[in-house]
Amino acid sequence: MTQDPSDLQDTGPIDYLVVEFDSDAMTGEAFPLLVDLVEQGIIRVLDLLVLRKEDDGSVVGVELDELADGSTGLEIFAGASSGLLGHEDLTEAAEAVEPGRTAAVLVYENVWAAPFASALRRGGAQLVASGRIPVQAVLAALDAAENA
């Protein structure tokens, strides 16, 4: 995918997730919520790939319609591929997955933040650090503060 860099001036921050799950116990409950985020214009899905790491460590791709008996609603993202994910990215994602588990690799634009990010860029600002605090860490910190 070749893109004119000036087109990216109005782009929101782009994030990725690798979410591991047990494909035998998956309910698909979260999938309609992802579709809803897109329909509300909060995010834009750039890439959505699913892989399964077999017990022997080999990795195979999984089609979206193979998830949760094909009733996920994710079919609208079939073929979502921006070109941002390369072979090395997928290899790294697969390394994070436990054998016998399935993972979704999602790359998305935070459309909601695009106007703010664009204004910062126009003002000469640049992102120099970013991160996320896992909910489990927040809960542990709150528990520790409460028990102190």
Side-chain angles (χ1 to χ4, degrees):
M1 173 177 130
T2 304
Q3 183 144 11
D4 180 348
S6 63
D7 292 344
L8 297 176
Q9 288 300 325
D10 295 324
T11 300
I14 296 174
D15 289 328
Y16 74 91
L17 300 171
V18 179
V19 180
E20 179 186 89
F21 50 89
D22 180 355
S23 50
D24 293 335
M26 185 177 53
T27 65
E29 177 183 357
F31 299 141
L33 299 171
L34 176 62
V35 172
D36 191 47
L37 289 171
V38 172
E39 289 175 348
Q40 290 184 55
I42 296 171
I43 67 167
R44 177 171 59 118
V45 171
L46 302 174
D47 295 279
L48 179 58
L49 302 167
V50 180
L51 56 90
R52 182 174 30 256
K53 190 169 194 177
E54 304 292 354
D55 291 329
D56 67 1
S58 62
V59 177
V60 296
V62 176
E63 295 296 326
L64 293 176
D65 61 2
E66 294 179 50
L67 297 174
D69 299 326
S71 59
T72 63
L74 294 179
E75 297 78 28
I76 64 170
F77 303 122
S81 179
S82 67
L84 290 174
L85 286 177
H87 180 73
E88 290 179 14
D89 299 313
L90 296 175
T91 300
E92 186 176 335
E95 289 175 10
V97 177
E98 293 293 323
R101 308 272 293 175
T102 301
V105 181
L106 174 66
V107 178
Y108 61 96
E109 175 192 359
N110 291 284
V111 176
W112 62 270
F116 176 65
S118 295
L120 288 172
R121 285 190 290 268
R122 284 191 303 273
Q126 65 179 355
L127 181 65
V128 295
S130 180
R132 290 265 160 84
I133 302 171
V135 171
Q136 296 87 342
V138 172
L139 294 173
L142 292 173
D143 284 344
E146 186 176 296
N147 293 327

